[in-house]
Amino acid sequence: MEPVIGLIIFIGILVLIIGLPIRAAIKSSDALRRAEEAHSRIRDLAAQVHELRQKLHLLEEPPKAPLVPSIEPGIELPPSIPVRNLAPIPDKSEVHAAPPPLPSASSPVLPPPIPTPKPLAAPAPVFNIEQFMGAKLFAWIGGLALFLGVVFFVKYAFERNLIPPAVRVAIGFLTGAGLLIGGVLTHRKKAYAILGQTLCASGTLILYGVTFAARTLYHFPAFGSVTTFLLMCLITATAFLLAVRLKAVVIAILGMAGGFLTPILVSTGQDNPFGLFGYIAILVVGLLAVARFGGWHFLAALGAGGTLLMQIGWFARFFHSGNYAQGNAILIPMGIFLGFITLFVIAGWRVHRLKGSAAFYQLGSALALSAVALIFGFVFLQYGSITGRPFLLYGYVFLINLAVLAAVVIQPRLSSAQWIVASATFIHLSAWTDSRLTPDLLPSALVCYFVFGLLHSVFPILWKRFRPDLPPRHAIAGWIPVLPILLILLSFLQLDQVSFWVWPALLLVNLLLIFLAVVTSSLAPVLAAIFLTLVAAALWLFKMPTTSASLPPFLGVVGGFSVIFVALGCWLAQRFLPNSAKGDYRLSKSSDYLAAALPISSAALPFLLLILAIARLPMPNPTPVFGLGLLLALILLGLAKMARQPILSLAGLGCTLALEFAWHSHHFSLLHALLPLGWYLGFAMLFMVYPFAFKDAFKESITPWAASALSGIGHFLLIYDLTKQAYPSSIMGLLPALFTVPPLIGLVFLLRSGTDSQIRNSQLAWFGGVTLFFITLIFPVQFDRQWLTLGWALEGAALCWLFNRIPHQGLRYVGIGLLTAAFVRLSFNPAVLSYQERSSTPILNWHLYAYLIAAASQFIGAWWLKPPHDRLSQFNLRGILCAFGTVLLFLLLNIEIADFFTPSDERFIAIDFKVNFARDMTYSISWALFALGLIMIGLWKNQAGARYAGIGLLAITLIKLFFHDLASIESIFRIAALIVVAVIALIASFLYQRFFDHEQKS
């Protein structure tokens, strides 16, 4: 009995729910129709009144008055024209200011003219909120409320089993079909169009819900997979036809809302992903069709939003409970996410072919779905059963990338999505590498890294090929292939040991990136890739065991990559430098410098890796690493000649010397000295001979000749240390004498060839300076300690002499610098007193010749600096050098006095401030004599500086005499000091008197 009662109640409620809103809608529509008819009648009456007023105005218009000609002063009118009461014509201000004249009694009084009314324009439609709410909004809300009421009542009846399942389904289909038929019939009358649209939308929703319930809830045999699919397709097609036919977007919106709410409202809590998302897919297909043919493209975005909510809700509720992370079950959620992305991309492509930019909503929806799908990909990183299958995981991620790239190709306005998805994928790969990478998974990881780089390397190429009409808006994509190299670097940090097969992967990525650089004309990523590849080699080096067996594979990788990068870099430089085919390698733009930097960095940066290998690995035999260094140096020298970049020769010398010094300081052994000696001599001769072998190519350059000259100095330091340790000798001064020969030969060669020019003078200056350096170096090498200072002083004086022969400013600067260094070392270095023990004969010690030679070098250097070369800005170089020499002589004077009075049992000279009457007297007398000598020289040469220095020193001597000597010196010494100093002072006074008297007479 209960089912019958429930059925009766259900039918009664259905009648009330459907009948009352229909009657109310009909009444409101009739009222609206009557209001529109009344408004139309009022508009017609207004037009008729306007027409009558125009006719009345034409009938009552007065006749026009005769024209009166204007009369200028001095002009008489003809007698035929009577003139009555002619008055002057007022100006415009008077005309406008004067009131109108009053009518006279004789003039007829005419009624004022009726103003011409403006034609009535059609009244603009005014928004009537009452009309909107009563006719549209209430109908829409009523339709939605009808649907919800039916759904909730049905759900209530279902839960209490008031209606059998078959009856429920039948009633649902009848209700939905009735609403569809009623809506179509109602829409035929224009006045009931909105009502008809609402009824159709409600009927569509009910049919969706009943079909889904019959299949999912009741599992009726008649509603199999094929039957349900066809029925839903029929309902979708019906909704599509109605929405487009009736031009009612409300049907599509309500149909979409009901379609997405139906699974939620009638859910049984059972997991059925195929049924759920198959239904959602059909719903979305219908919605996309309606959006396309109806022109309501925003419906695609609404459909994507509903799909995302359904995906997130299903994932949160069933992913864990359904064990989708285990085995191949993960393919179900992955397939669902990818399927909907593909669906929206295809829809966007179809719309774009027909309507161009209208596909923005479909493709934007695809990107939104891709973003959420990629977020789910990050969630998958929490499950080891998924992360242990990188091909499965990243097959899913890369398919998302492909979908995004397809959307970008279809709609260029979405170009930023390409680097966004690439960045997100890079972060995903980095997170997986950091947390899940193992040695067993490394090959799979390398494949994934390479596919990632390949995917985003091919995309700019296809973009340029298939969209040549668009500007290159994907310059940043050229940097994306660098990301796989960073991932490989991360794998180096993550694993304790790295497989050798990582290098083929790195090579493939670099080749792809270089190929991309050719297509996109972007070279900066290639330079970054070279640097990162070398960083990877450095990380690999630190992962290697510190045994000699690690050296061959490391050198093989470094050498192989260097040669490949140099070759490809040269090819790219030839391709991108505009005039390289004509032999012109001048660099003018930033891209030119990038092109030139590729082969240079490929040959120079590996030297850093070789130095790291020397510091880390045992390497008693330098041949392997020096052999690779020789190859790289030859490459740099070859580039210096071919590319006409002479600075590379100096760079090659610096890199080679750094490599040699690194090996020498870490691995040199006295047992095997001949082999490194041969390498040092070979490298030295290579750079020495290089500019002479290609003299025609470098005749207008300075740098290769400077590198040739400096090669001797750099390698001398190595060979000297090697010889000193392995083959010590008492004639070590012979070594710098031998090194004097190559630069001297080069100097002679340059003197005999070429003509005088600034460049040739610079070349001569380098070889002449190095020759003098080795000549002066013979003394400090052969002797000891102080001879280093003497070598500086002699070298400085010699360079000042050479400057007179070869007027190159560098010679002058270096010479002055060496003389200054010698002065500072002898003046401010207390250790000079303990370099050697005292000799048995006072005064005749090493300080005598050291300070004398250094002072003489200062005076000779000043002598060779002839005007105008004696000035450096505001400084008088000759005066400075003479002052240095004078100070050195004064210091020598005090050192010799201290040496004479030092006790014989002392090994070194002692500067003692204890009371010693004879020593203090000697100091005072010597200072006074030195001051007198300065004054005499100043008077003789008319040098104010010397005179001032003598006066100052004499003043200091007098102060010392009166404040120190008179209080502490014994009587005889006191007297002697007073007398001698007094005589000196008198002599100085006499000399000054003569000097000034001579000036007055002249």
Side-chain angles (χ1 to χ4, degrees), residues 240-257:
F240 154 68
L241 291 174
L242 289 176
V244 176
R245 180 70 176 175
L246 305 182
K247 297 181 180 179
V249 67
V250 65
I251 297 178
I253 294 177
L254 293 180
M256 178 199 67

Side-chain angles (χ1 to χ4, degrees), residues 353-414:
R353 290 182 61 189
L354 299 176
K355 300 183 180 180
S357 60
F360 181 80
Y361 288 101
Q362 286 81 355
L363 297 175
S365 301
L367 295 182
L369 290 167
S370 300
V372 174
L374 199 54
I375 292 173
F376 286 132
F378 279 94
V379 176
F380 294 157
L381 292 175
Q382 301 176 6
Y383 302 93
S385 58
I386 301 176
T387 56
R389 304 165 67 185
F391 289 149
L392 173 64
L393 176 60
Y394 286 103
Y396 166 74
V397 174
F398 293 153
L399 287 175
I400 296 174
N401 280 252
L402 282 174
V404 173
L405 296 180
V408 171
V409 171
I410 297 171
Q411 182 56 265
R413 292 167 56 190
L414 304 173

Side-chain angles (χ1 to χ4, degrees), residues 808-889:
H808 188 276
Q809 295 297 328
L811 296 174
R812 184 175 67 145
Y813 297 150
V814 176
I816 295 170
L818 290 173
L819 290 172
T820 304
F823 165 76
V824 171
R825 193 163 189 266
L826 290 176
S827 302
F828 301 99
N829 182 19
V832 297
L833 299 177
S834 59
Y835 277 173
Q836 287 185 359
E837 296 183 3
R838 296 175 62 225
S839 64
S840 58
T841 305
I843 299 177
L844 299 177
N845 51 29
W846 73 270
H847 297 91
L848 182 62
Y849 70 81
Y851 279 83
L852 282 177
I853 294 175
S857 299
Q858 303 287 343
F859 293 127
I860 293 172
W863 172 261
W864 285 114
L865 291 178
K866 303 291 185 180
H869 302 298
D870 60 335
R871 294 282 177 176
L872 181 62
S873 185
Q874 299 179 352
F875 299 100
N876 186 351
L877 298 178
R878 301 186 76 182
I880 292 173
L881 293 180
C882 289
F884 287 168
T886 302
V887 172
L888 291 176
L889 291 177

Side-chain angles (χ1 to χ4, degrees), residues 550-807:
S550 301
L551 183 61
F554 177 78
L555 294 180
V557 167
V558 174
F561 270 86
S562 300
V563 172
I564 292 173
F565 283 152
V566 168
L568 293 174
C570 291
W571 178 67
L572 288 175
Q574 291 280 347
R575 185 181 182 90
F576 283 93
L577 290 178
N579 298 320
S580 59
K582 303 177 182 179
D584 185 4
Y585 291 90
R586 287 176 295 180
L587 309 178
S588 58
K589 301 179 295 185
S590 59
S591 59
D592 296 345
Y593 286 96
L594 283 176
L598 293 178
I600 297 171
S601 58
S602 301
L605 290 178
F607 279 100
L608 297 176
L609 296 177
L610 298 180
I611 293 173
L612 289 176
I614 288 172
R616 179 170 175 79
L617 301 177
M619 202 177 299
N621 184 0
T623 300
V625 69
F626 280 179
L628 182 55
L630 176 62
L631 174 63
L632 297 174
L634 290 173
I635 291 174
L636 286 173
L637 294 178
L639 290 174
K641 179 183 180 298
M642 292 186 298
R644 299 181 182 179
Q645 299 295 325
I647 191 65
L648 296 182
S649 58
L650 192 60
L653 174 63
C655 294
T656 305
L657 285 175
L659 183 67
E660 294 175 272
F661 273 101
W663 184 89
H664 189 82
S665 60
H666 284 85
H667 303 291
F668 174 71
S669 173
L670 298 177
L671 300 177
H672 307 283
L674 284 177
L675 184 61
L677 177 61
W679 276 107
Y680 298 158
L681 290 173
F683 279 122
M685 294 305 298
L686 171 66
F687 287 97
M688 287 180 182
V689 175
Y690 172 68
F692 296 97
F694 305 101
K695 59 182 183 299
D696 294 334
F698 299 121
K699 60 183 179 181
E700 299 297 329
S701 302
I702 300 174
T703 310
W705 305 96
S708 176
L710 293 174
S711 175
I713 297 178
H715 288 94
F716 169 79
L717 300 177
L718 288 168
I719 296 173
Y720 173 76
D721 186 72
L722 182 149
T723 306
K724 186 177 180 181
Q725 295 185 51
Y727 310 105
S729 174
S730 59
I731 54 171
M732 292 296 293
L734 183 61
L735 189 61
L738 293 175
F739 269 83
T740 306
V741 177
L744 184 60
I745 295 175
L747 182 62
V748 173
F749 177 83
L750 290 174
L751 287 172
R752 292 182 177 180
S753 62
T755 57
D756 290 336
S757 65
Q758 187 64 31
I759 295 178
R760 181 172 177 271
N761 290 338
S762 299
Q763 297 168 355
L764 292 171
W766 277 106
F767 282 92
V770 171
T771 302
L772 291 176
F773 170 78
F774 284 118
I775 292 174
T776 56
L777 195 62
I778 296 173
F779 298 98
V781 170
Q782 179 62 39
F783 298 100
D784 200 3
R785 296 175 182 174
Q786 69 274 14
W787 285 101
L788 179 61
T789 305
L790 292 178
W792 292 352
L794 294 172
E795 171 74 5
L799 288 177
C800 292
W801 167 81
L802 185 61
F803 175 71
N804 286 275
R805 301 295 183 269
I806 305 173

